[in-house]
Amino acid sequence: MDKIPCFLCGTLLGVRTDKNGKLYLICDSCGSQHFVRRQHGMERLKEMGRYFPQQTAQLAARMESLLQVQARLNEIDALKKEIQKLELAAGHIFRDQEKVRARDAVQKRVDALLAELERTAEDIHEEPGLKKTVAT
Ligand SMILES: [Zn+2]
């Protein structure tokens, strides 16, 4: 059985079995002790030991994907500021064509990032592991 976090401090605890076959957990970190005496509780504890590591992995995957989205949003913000600067620098009456081309190139990068962001959102939606969590 995998480890289960202590409800008080979050330390991962191994499930122990006493001489009568009953399950218990002892947290050396905060000193709490958890005894599970009934069959239903022991079954729930075993289930939790199986599902907790799975859910932790899914949460880590979601966090990673969220950080990627955040990084893209930050880049888009920075590029939009650059587009505004280039637009100003290009002038209004006598347009600097190099600045206009640079602005258009940066805009293409923004468009590509937005498209990538949309694909990421679709991937999250279609990830089979996450879908299963919602269904159960
Ligand atoms: Zn604890």
Side-chain angles (χ1 to χ4, degrees), residues 7 11 19 22 35 39 49 51 59-60 67-69 72 74 84 86 88 91 114-115 127-128:
F7 82 99
T11 299
K19 60 184 183 213
K22 306 283 186 183
F35 300 94
Q39 193 59 36
Y51 291 116
L59 192 64
L67 291 173
Q68 283 176 7
V69 167
R72 287 186 188 111
N74 288 339
Q84 284 178 338
L86 287 167
L88 267 176
L114 286 170
E127 202 174 317

Side-chain angles (χ1 to χ4, degrees), residues 5-13 26-34:
C6 171
F7 82 99
L8 270 183
C9 71
T11 299
L12 288 176
L13 310 174
I26 292 179
C27 181
D28 291 329
S29 182
C30 72
S32 66
Q33 300 180 338
H34 317 269

